[in-house]
């Protein structure tokens, strides 16, 4: 099911990573796909509260954890710039779907990067 939230469809996910040659586009594309899949899940499941949203964001964070190997295989890694950009986009998703009080650290609490 395609994303219908206008804010999300217009948002340039992981823009800073695409601008930096250190991060290979084909791996960043996979990260962008994780974020868009998260948006699709939020739209489909319509979490009623922060706990339900966090369950969805933790699953997406786990997918980013799995991407670390792909970044490393391409001569890159999820380092400070990437961590901040990913966290910023998780916060954007929370705000776009009506959760302005979501804690960014809790949104990505399962990260190991």
């Amino acid at each position: 099911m395609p994303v219908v939230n206008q804010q999300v469809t217009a948002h340039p996910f992981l823009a800073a990573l695409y601008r930096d040659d250190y991060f290979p586009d084909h791996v960043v594309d996979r990260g962008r796909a994780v974020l868009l899949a998260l948006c699709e899940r939020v739209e489909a499941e319509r979490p009623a509260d922060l706990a339900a949203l966090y369950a969805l964001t933790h699953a997406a964070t786990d997918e980013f954890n799995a991407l670390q190997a792909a970044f490393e295989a391409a001569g890159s890694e999820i380092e400070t710039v990437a961590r901040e950009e990913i966290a910023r986009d998780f916060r954007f998703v929370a705000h776009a779907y009506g959760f302005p009080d979501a804690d960014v650290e809790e949104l990505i609490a399962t990260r190991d990067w």
Side-chain angles (χ1 to χ4, degrees), residues 71-90:
F71 275 101
E72 290 171 7
S76 184
E77 66 180 306
I78 298 178
E79 45 73 75
T80 304
V81 170
R83 283 192 296 270
E84 290 176 4
E85 185 73 356
I86 294 165
R88 189 175 5 262
D89 279 341
F90 270 89

Side-chain angles (χ1 to χ4, degrees), residues 56-70:
L56 298 177
T57 63
H58 292 170
T61 300
D62 292 344
E63 292 182 52
F64 270 100
N65 291 342
L67 277 180
Q68 285 187 99

